[in-house]
Amino acid sequence: MQKENVANVANYLTYKGKHKGLLGWVLSTDHKRIGLLYLYSIMTMFSVGVLLGLAMKFELLAPGKTIMEAQTYNATFTVHGVIMIFMVVIPGLPAVFGNFLLPIMIGAKDVAFPKLNLLSWWLYVAGVFLVLSAVIFGKGAPDTGWTFYAPYSFKTGTNLLPAIFGAFILGFSSILTGLNFLVTIHRMRCPGMKWSKLPLFVWTLYGTAWIQLLATPVVGITLVLVALERMFGVGVFDPALGGDPILYQHLFWIYSHPAVYIMILPAMGAISEIIPTFSQKMIFGYKAIIASTMAIAFVGYLVWGHHMFTAGMSGTAQYYFSLLTFIVAIPSAIKVFNWISTMYKGSINVQTPLYWAVSFIFVFLIGGLSGLVLGSLAANVHLHDTAFVVAHFHYIVFGGTGFAFFAAAHYWFPKIYGRMYDKGWANAGWLIFFIGFLALYTPMFYLGIMGMPRRYYDYLDDFHGGNILSTFGSWIMVTGLVIIIINLIRSARKGPAAEINPWRGKTLEWTVSSPPSLENFDEIPVIAEDDGPYNYK
Amino acid sequence: MYSPEVTQASNFVQGVDTAFLVILGISFFFLIGLTAVMIYFIYRYNRKRNPVATQIHGSTKLEIIWTVVPFILTMVMFYYGWLGWKPMAKPPKDAMEVTVYGRMWNFSFEYENGKRTDTLYLPKDKPVKLNLVALDVLHSLYIPAFRVKQDMVPNKENNFMWFVPQRVGTYELYCAEYCGLQHSYMYSYVKVMEDSVFQSFIADTTKVVAADIDSPIATGKRVMQNIGCFACHSLDGTKLVGPSFKGIWGAEHTVVTGNETRKVTVDEEYIKQSIFDPNADVVEGFMKGLMVSYQGQLSEDDIANIIEYLKTVQ
Ligand code: HEM
Ligand SMILES: [Cu+2]
Ligand SMILES: [Cu+2]
């Protein structure tokens, strides 16, 4: 009986439109199909990035050459960084789960501009191929680090230009998605869906969209200037031509710091959905979470200088940036307190998504607290540009965004595919992944405190122990990852049919069929006065 | 490398470590506390034990408390960070000055009397101000044991760091800002010695210059080793960042001068120009701008010795 539910209803997966087969996907303007297109492309790039990460860890297993030359190593961390940042975590949750769920959560049939939405994905693909072309063709893969710092980015003989243009195009894709979401949230909410009734995931997408729209153009212009300088020697950043390399760093971080919040806000949104559902309890401090989301989105613009404490800014700028960095941490702390309070007196249903959500809070705390260490002027002097920083941002972006991504994937999986995954394997995968993650990155904190600089192909013997442990961790973690991904792929094709609302959630997506029909709703829902996203009784 | 034995190796260790430990302490408290609460809730309010949830919308009082308390704590953290950092910006007037040259991929240190070394030698308990000069790209001078780090930015004025070494010993000194191929090999050492030892060391300007018994060829090779030519040039024909020196003397090379490609024969004039003005003639197939001039860093004698040595590289 359950099986028929999947087969008979013409849902968005089985629907046949103008085009058939693959074309029916890559030319589809349906927000759900686009969400899945993003899911598959992002997971592909993520796998490539992971392989590069593993290769680096293997190289660092022992001092001296282990498997590759220094040039290869430098190119590897550059390409790894560019892939992970621009192709995985920046599009990440908004492009996949935002696309899939935003219209459903606000009771709409699609986003405001479906064709623009498809264009965003195509731009994403174009950007990916441009960057990859830099790796495959020309005089070797870029070796500048994902930050493209001047003036090394003008000195290197590697094939940098396509990578820069690729990042530029990926930026456009992100801007268009942001714009689309903004208009959708403003204009397409169903009757009765007041701002005060928006699910928190939608609120975080809203905050994120503003950052995408306002901050991304800055890095776009900066990258164009780098390209012009490399081609025609304009002389904005290159000191040899009278330019200022510190100016480059300012412009780069004016975008790239807020970009950290592009990565983390939607992750926080997903966690804010999962915890109430599995506690069967209304979210604690709905308004406080919204306020903290918006506070992060705006104060996040003002702290970029904390990446440059040792670059030699004026004293006033130093403590201004340090002070604001501490202040921007507070809204994140507020969120953590509210999540934990939501569990208080709940009726907690311990399932895979909750494991991910709770471990998210744990690694996010470590990432955030180590960020406070780096925000402190004195401690920063010692720890900046060491392995400590590498540990910190992997805890935040990988631990934060990555864990939330898997939490979201396990939470919405039954809705997306109309099938359920094997919970035993899912939990086992989570546990192995979690242990591996801690073993991989925790030693890097220690290595940084001991003084091992980052982006080091080789290191002195003193640092050997920590590196061995970290490399072992990477092997454990990838084992977990393989289990998780295989389990999900298998279940998407063969898993038992899922109910409409397996977790007893209260947001609108749990009222439509699993998988949703092409137009989501037969009739646009109307939200009653006493209804809301978390009104558990 | 940090290690408990070298605590107080410089005057900044205490300020930095205090700022670090204050935050670390508060962080551990919250990390352990919140994690424990979370696990307790999952256990206590598991749906087996607590089948019906109690709905609570929130609490303004709690929201205020957990906004204000973290605010106060972060301001305490900020304060200690600022306290430890403030003195780093103000070098004492009587500090001994050393100029540090950073280039791809080595450091060299020049003292007030003109003596140059590739290891930083310092007297104990005397404030020292390092004037940082980056010759090509960004570098960053980092001495973990002293808790100091400062980026070296090309053309930047007033680019300096200062500290007081407080313990005799040898400490690692790294480049912490990525600077290309051999970034991870761009490290050296700081040797802190008693003042009297340092004075006799610094007075002896011949120490690192070649001893008389050395032939010009051996001297040339040592000069090149010390200043780091072999980071970019191999002796065995391997192509590194720059062309190999194998068989260079008398060979005919194709170079690009401006927009024009021409052939030159490697002779004394050409080598000298390659070292003092490397970007005038750029060897075909290599990048312009990677090698920067050694004008002012190598003397005419050094060049003569280098040429003698290069003649022998077959
Ligand atoms: C299997 C998983 C991963 C492994 C083993 C791994 C490992 C590494 C290693 C060894 C480095 C070089 C650190 C250094 O240069 O000292 C690095 C850099 C980096 N990683 Fe990962 N990483 C992984 C996943 C991720 C993810 C998911 C992200 C997404 C945010 C990410 C973002 C970065 C970035 C931005 C850099 C800096 C690149 C640069 O220095 O230019 N990594 N990673
Ligand atoms: Cu930042
Ligand atoms: Cu370096």
Side-chain angles (χ1 to χ4, degrees):
Chain A
M1 187 214 115
Q2 287 277 343
K3 275 255 162 61
E4 280 168 0
N5 180 19
V6 176
N8 286 349
V9 184
N11 63 50
Y12 82 101
L13 289 169
T14 51
Y15 161 82
K16 289 203 175 41
K18 235 184 345 196
H19 305 281
K20 292 198 183 56
L22 199 58
L23 275 188
W25 280 83
V26 298
L27 295 178
S28 167
T29 55
D30 175 40
H31 66 100
K32 300 182 286 304
R33 286 198 169 188
I34 293 176
L36 289 197
L37 287 178
Y38 268 117
L39 176 66
Y40 303 142
S41 8
I42 287 175
M43 286 316 285
T44 309
M45 294 324 292
F46 176 69
S47 311
V48 176
V50 165
L51 289 178
L52 295 175
L54 288 173
M56 278 188 279
K57 286 276 70 159
F58 205 102
E59 173 55 46
L60 294 178
L61 185 56
K65 180 181 164 184
T66 315
I67 50 166
M68 54 173 104
E69 298 293 340
Q71 182 65 38
T72 319
Y73 183 84
N74 295 348
T76 307
F77 72 67
T78 303
V79 178
H80 167 82
V82 170
I83 288 181
M84 288 301 196
I85 295 289
F86 294 108
M87 304 179 194
V88 178
V89 288
I90 287 185
L93 282 122
V96 178
F97 300 106
N99 260 320
F100 196 99
L101 293 158
L102 168 63
I104 311 185
M105 281 184 153
I106 63 172
K109 295 196 165 171
D110 208 322
V111 292
F113 309 113
K115 286 189 182 140
L116 200 63
N117 205 11
L118 181 62
L119 178 66
S120 302
W121 181 74
W122 275 104
L123 284 177
Y124 173 85
V125 174
V128 167
F129 276 102
L130 256 177
V131 173
L132 293 186
S133 77
V135 178
I136 297 164
F137 305 110
K139 293 193 217 151
D143 66 343
T144 57
W146 79 280
T147 46
F148 306 123
Y149 265 17
Y152 185 71
S153 52
F154 306 118
K155 299 248 178 191
T156 175
T158 54
N159 197 9
L160 194 63
L161 280 180
I164 287 190
F165 280 123
F168 179 77
I169 300 214
L170 288 167
F172 257 93
S173 160
S174 176
I175 294 174
L176 293 183
T177 304
L179 182 73
N180 216 338
F181 284 6
L182 271 185
V183 179
T184 308
I185 297 171
H186 271 279
R187 309 293 305 171
M188 313 264 296
R189 282 168 291 133
C190 66
M193 178 64 81
K194 293 191 274 187
W195 287 94
S196 60
K197 290 184 190 288
L198 281 184
L200 288 166
F201 184 55
V202 176
W203 265 108
T204 52
L205 289 175
Y206 183 73
T208 309
W210 275 113
I211 310 180
Q212 287 174 299
L213 197 66
L214 296 180
T216 319
V218 180
V219 78
I221 294 165
T222 312
L223 292 178
V224 168
L225 283 173
V226 171
L228 287 179
E229 190 143 337
R230 232 181 120 81
M231 290 187 297
F232 308 115
V234 180
V236 185
F237 303 130
D238 188 351
L241 302 169
D244 182 0
I246 303 288
L247 175 67
Y248 174 82
Q249 297 182 15
H250 278 293
L251 291 175
F252 181 82
W253 288 112
I254 285 176
Y255 165 73
S256 295
H257 188 81
V260 175
Y261 298 109
I262 297 183
M263 306 167 199
I264 200 68
L265 276 178
M268 295 168 154
I271 299 302
S272 307
E273 298 299 329
I274 292 169
I275 294 203
T277 301
F278 290 89
S279 307
Q280 287 296 298
K281 184 163 163 262
M282 134 137 248
I283 185 97
F284 193 94
Y286 175 78
K287 293 223 170 84
I289 295 187
I290 295 174
S292 61
T293 299
M294 297 323 267
I296 291 177
F298 289 104
V299 185
Y301 282 109
L302 308 175
V303 300
W304 76 84
H306 63 210
H307 298 269
M308 301 165 56
F309 284 144
T310 65
M313 290 182 293
S314 78
T316 327
Q318 303 264 21
Y319 53 72
Y320 158 84
F321 280 122
S322 172
L323 194 72
L324 281 172
T325 301
F326 281 111
I327 289 182
V328 79
I330 295 168
S332 301
I334 295 176
K335 281 190 203 279
V336 171
F337 294 133
N338 281 297
W339 290 327
I340 296 181
S341 305
T342 303
M343 294 197 255
Y344 174 68
K345 290 199 172 171
S347 175
I348 299 174
N349 179 11
V350 185
Q351 299 279 358
T352 320
L354 190 75
Y355 282 128
W356 282 105
V358 170
S359 49
F360 164 91
I361 296 181
F362 181 73
V363 290
F364 179 72
L365 272 171
I366 298 180
L369 293 167
S370 60
L372 293 176
V373 175
L374 291 167
S376 158
L377 287 169
N380 182 282
V381 169
H382 177 48
L383 296 169
H384 177 67
D385 266 334
T386 66
F388 191 94
V389 175
V390 181
H392 156 70
F393 70 69
H394 279 93
Y395 261 96
I396 281 284
V397 273
F398 195 7
T401 314
F403 276 58
F405 192 94
F406 285 115
H410 287 91
Y411 179 51
W412 282 301
F413 186 91
K415 181 57 59 189
I416 295 175
Y417 291 102
R419 295 178 186 277
M420 188 47 99
Y421 47 83
D422 184 302
K423 291 181 185 170
W425 279 114
N427 292 344
W430 163 78
L431 187 63
I432 298 172
F433 183 93
F434 185 45
I435 294 171
F437 183 90
L438 298 180
L440 165 55
Y441 294 115
T442 314
M444 289 199 199
F445 280 127
Y446 167 78
L447 289 170
I449 295 169
M450 301 308 270
M452 179 175 155
R454 71 187 277 207
R455 295 176 173 173
Y456 259 32
Y457 160 73
D458 198 357
Y459 52 82
L460 299 177
D461 281 339
D462 298 335
F463 302 125
H464 196 179
N467 274 299
I468 296 180
L469 184 56
S470 173
T471 304
F472 282 165
S474 73
W475 298 339
I476 301 175
M477 195 186 79
V478 76
T479 312
L481 195 60
V482 170
I483 295 176
I484 294 163
I485 293 179
I486 291 184
N487 184 35
L488 290 183
I489 294 179
R490 230 197 99 259
S491 309
R493 310 158 114 229
K494 302 211 181 77
E499 302 156 37
I500 282 183
N501 191 358
W503 318 119
R504 297 194 289 144
K506 289 283 179 184
T507 36
L508 279 180
E509 77 272 24
W510 301 113
T511 63
V512 304
S513 54
S514 300
S517 64
L518 184 65
E519 302 222 296
N520 305 341
F521 303 96
D522 302 333
E523 243 173 80
I524 291 295
V526 177
I527 311 295
E529 194 55 46
D530 61 348
D531 240 359
Y534 310 105
N535 63 340
Y536 294 93
K537 296 272 156 39
Chain B
M1 173 93 174
Y2 166 85
S3 99
E5 298 95 72
V6 296
T7 43
Q8 309 308 323
S10 91
N11 58 325
F12 295 133
V13 173
Q14 190 168 14
V16 169
D17 287 6
T18 308
F20 178 71
L21 290 173
V22 166
I23 303 178
L24 197 70
I26 299 178
S27 298
F28 266 109
F29 174 77
F30 275 93
L31 179 66
I32 294 170
L34 290 172
T35 309
V37 170
M38 211 155 56
I39 292 173
Y40 174 72
F41 283 176
I42 293 175
Y43 163 82
R44 174 65 190 78
Y45 302 112
N46 195 291
R47 67 173 169 176
K48 282 187 226 108
R49 261 176 224 91
N50 196 34
V52 182
T54 314
Q55 298 305 325
I56 306 168
H57 287 232
S59 149
T60 315
K61 204 163 108 200
L62 275 178
E63 299 291 348
I64 292 174
I65 292 178
W66 62 46
T67 308
V68 173
V69 172
F71 179 78
I72 295 171
L73 290 176
T74 51
M75 287 307 106
V76 172
M77 297 177 189
F78 166 76
Y79 172 74
Y80 279 102
W82 175 72
L83 205 64
W85 169 82
K86 202 172 52 153
M88 296 182 184
K90 290 192 202 69
K93 291 222 166 49
D94 60 345
M96 168 184 136
E97 301 208 16
V98 178
T99 307
V100 182
Y101 295 96
R103 59 159 71 230
M104 292 160 145
W105 290 282
N106 72 341
F107 293 105
S108 66
F109 305 95
E110 187 179 291
Y111 302 84
E112 278 159 338
N113 66 353
K115 184 185 174 87
R116 266 172 184 272
T117 59
D118 55 5
T119 299
L120 179 58
Y121 295 89
L122 294 176
K124 177 171 169 278
D125 291 332
K126 285 243 173 106
V128 51
K129 180 176 176 218
L130 303 180
N131 296 311
L132 309 176
V133 181
L135 294 168
D136 35 38
V137 297
L138 298 176
H139 302 280
S140 184
L141 199 160
Y142 176 32
I143 310 170
F146 294 176
R147 311 288 190 276
V148 290
K149 180 184 291 124
Q150 183 67 45
D151 293 4
M152 306 175 69
V153 183
N155 285 0
K156 185 169 187 288
E157 276 162 35
N158 212 8
N159 198 183
F160 72 90
M161 70 201 276
W162 82 276
F163 52 86
V164 186
Q166 293 181 339
R167 280 179 79 108
V168 171
T170 306
Y171 309 95
E172 286 94 357
L173 176 158
Y174 300 100
C175 172
E177 180 66 61
Y178 177 67
C179 55
L181 186 64
Q182 310 260 33
H183 167 56
S184 66
Y185 295 103
M186 185 164 167
Y187 66 84
S188 179
Y189 294 90
V190 190
K191 284 207 166 85
V192 180
M193 21 175 104
E194 293 296 346
D195 194 30
S196 53
V197 184
F198 177 78
Q199 291 312 336
S200 60
F201 165 81
I202 196 81
D204 181 2
T205 45
T206 60
K207 261 254 166 65
V208 279
V209 180
D212 285 342
I213 40 165
D214 272 348
S215 66
I217 296 174
T219 312
K221 180 167 188 184
R222 203 176 40 237
V223 169
M224 291 172 73
Q225 254 159 358
N226 285 345
I227 205 158
C229 309
F230 300 125
C232 302
H233 297 283
S234 79
L235 297 173
D236 59 0
T238 323
K239 184 177 163 183
L240 300 177
V241 175
S244 174
F245 286 146
K246 189 178 183 193
I248 183 176
W249 183 254
E252 198 167 81
H253 284 179
T254 314
V255 298
V256 183
T257 314
N259 289 327
E260 170 199 345
T261 308
R262 62 192 187 96
K263 289 218 185 298
V264 292
T265 308
V266 178
D267 54 12
E268 294 184 3
E269 198 45 43
Y270 173 76
I271 291 183
K272 194 169 157 190
Q273 191 202 300
S274 294
I275 296 172
F276 281 158
D277 189 8
N279 296 311
D281 295 330
V282 178
V283 184
E284 193 168 45
F286 292 89
M287 281 284 291
K288 188 176 173 156
L290 275 177
M291 182 168 163
V292 289
S293 172
Y294 284 81
Q295 191 86 50
Q297 299 197 48
L298 292 174
S299 64
E300 295 284 335
D301 282 353
D302 291 333
I303 302 284
N305 289 332
I306 289 177
I307 291 173
E308 285 315 308
Y309 172 65
L310 285 180
K311 283 182 185 169
T312 69
V313 185
Q314 289 309 325

